[in-house]
Amino acid sequence: MTPRPLFPSRWLPLLLAAPQMLIVFLFFLWPAVKAIVWSFYLVRPFGNGSLFVGLDNYLRILTDDRFYASLQATLVFTAGSTMLGVLVALALAACLELDVRGKRLLRTIFIWPYAVAGVVVGIVLKVLINPVTGMLAFLNVMWPGMWAPHLKGEQAMLVLIAAFAWTQVPFNFILFSAALQRIPVDLLGAAAIDGAGPWRRLVDIQLPMIAPALLLSCVINVIEAFTHGFGLVDALTQGGPGHSTAILAYQIYSDGFVGLDLSGSSALSVILMLFIVLLAWLQMRFFKQGWAR
C-alpha cells in the first residue's frame, strides 16, 4: 500500500495550492477565455462596448496575406531551430559519453545557457551581428553588402534560428544525456568487442534506444518555438526586415498592442492555440504507437 501524506485539515492542501492556482487562473486561463470570446466580437481598443461579428475575424485573418507570411516564417523558424537544436545537443551528449576528460565541467557549461532569457540573447546578438561593428563586419569590407541582416530577410531568419536553437540546446542536452546514461554498458561493451566503432554504436544501439527522448525533445522544441519565440524576435528583428521574421507569436503582439486590433489578435491567438493543441495530440498519438510496439 502506498503511503499517503497526512494533513491536519482537509482544506490545508487546497490552501497551499491556492497561490499557484490563482496565478494560473489570472495569467493563463482567464486571458485564454477572454481571447476566445473577443475573437467573435469587434472590440473597441479603448472600451465603450463591442459588437458581435461571429466568424468575421477568422475570415479576415484567413484572407490576409500577412497571416500566411507569418505562418510561413513560423514554420521555417520552428523547423530550423528544432533540427539545429536537437542535432547539436545530440552531438554534444554523444561526445560526452565517450572517454572525455572533464565531463562534469563540460556538462555544467552546456547547461548554463538555459538560464539566459531570449530577450537577453536578442540584445547581445543585435550588437554582434551589426553589419558595421559586429563580428561579421569584415565580410562587408571584403564584399560590400554581403552581410546585411537588417535588409536581407534570409540572413535575419538564419540568425533567429541559430539564436533560438542555442537557447534550446541545454534542455535537449539534459534529455539526451539522461537517456544515453540509461543504456546498459554491457551492450556497448559487447558491440565494441565485435569491432563496432563509436559511430556504429551510436547509429545501431544508442539512437534506437533513445528514440522516445528524441521524440519528446522534438515535440517540446516545436511547441517552444511556436509560443516562446516572441522575446527573441522582439529584441532582435521586430519582425523585419519586410515582415520576413514576424512569426505568429510576434504578429499577435503587433496586431493587438501596436495596431490595437484586439479582435484580430485574439482570433490569431486562438488559431495559434489550435496549432499547439494539434501538436499535443500528435505527440500523444506517436507516444501511444511507440508504447504499443
Side-chain angles (χ1 to χ4, degrees):
M1 182 177 180
T2 304
R4 300 178 60 185
L6 298 178
F7 294 94
S9 172
R10 60 182 298 183
W11 301 107
L12 182 58
L14 292 178
L15 183 62
L16 295 175
Q20 181 67 25
M21 294 172 62
L22 181 62
I23 292 175
V24 171
F25 176 77
L26 290 178
F27 295 100
F28 293 94
L29 297 181
W30 178 247
V33 172
K34 290 294 291 184
I36 295 174
V37 174
W38 281 1
S39 67
F40 297 102
Y41 285 81
L42 184 60
V43 182
R44 292 173 178 156
F46 301 105
N48 299 324
S50 57
L51 177 66
F52 181 78
V53 294
L55 298 176
D56 287 353
N57 291 321
Y58 293 97
L59 295 176
R60 175 162 57 91
I61 290 175
L62 295 177
T63 55
D64 188 358
D65 293 337
R66 292 190 310 155
F67 167 71
Y68 295 101
S70 294
L71 181 60
Q72 181 181 0
T74 303
L75 294 177
V76 172
F77 172 73
T78 301
S81 61
T82 299
M83 291 177 59
L84 184 60
V86 169
L87 291 176
V88 171
L90 180 61
L92 294 176
C95 289
L96 287 189
E97 288 303 306
L98 303 175
D99 189 11
V100 179
R101 293 183 179 180
K103 286 184 179 181
R104 294 183 180 180
L105 177 61
L106 291 174
R107 285 196 176 98
T108 304
I109 293 175
F110 294 156
I111 294 172
W112 275 352
Y114 198 62
V116 182
V119 176
V120 177
V121 177
I123 294 174
V124 173
L125 275 180
K126 198 167 188 177
V127 177
L128 295 179
I129 67 172
N130 189 288
V132 178
T133 60
M135 295 178 59
L136 299 178
F138 70 93
L139 294 176
N140 290 329
V141 177
M142 301 171 59
W143 301 282
M146 180 178 182
W147 176 248
H150 62 296
L151 295 176
K152 300 179 180 180
E154 299 83 1
Q155 294 181 358
M157 180 59 74
L158 288 176
V159 172
L160 279 179
I161 289 174
F164 193 78
W166 183 80
T167 63
Q168 297 302 306
V169 164
F171 176 78
N172 298 333
F173 173 77
I174 294 173
L175 280 181
F176 298 153
S177 294
L180 289 172
Q181 290 177 15
R182 294 183 58 186
I183 298 177
V185 181
D186 297 342
L187 291 179
L188 300 177
I193 293 175
D194 291 339
W199 174 254
R200 182 52 57 188
R201 295 198 298 269
L202 174 66
V203 173
D204 292 342
I205 299 177
Q206 292 173 308
L207 285 183
M209 297 190 72
I210 66 170
L214 285 170
L215 176 61
L216 176 63
S217 174
C218 290
V219 172
I220 291 178
N221 277 253
V222 168
I223 295 177
E224 286 285 313
F226 266 94
T227 57
H228 292 146
F230 163 77
L232 182 63
V233 174
D234 185 52
L236 189 57
T237 65
Q238 292 82 42
H243 207 73
S244 60
T245 60
I247 61 176
L248 287 176
Y250 185 81
Q251 189 64 40
I252 292 171
Y253 161 79
S254 179
D255 289 349
F257 290 92
V258 179
L260 298 180
D261 183 11
L262 301 180
S263 304
S265 62
S266 297
L268 190 57
S269 65
V270 173
I271 293 175
L272 179 60
M273 184 170 61
L274 293 177
F275 273 118
I276 297 174
V277 171
L278 177 62
L279 291 174
W281 176 77
L282 291 175
Q283 174 188 7
M284 295 178 61
R285 181 179 179 183
F286 284 135
F287 269 116
K288 288 182 179 180
Q289 290 180 352
W291 291 335
R293 294 176 183 176

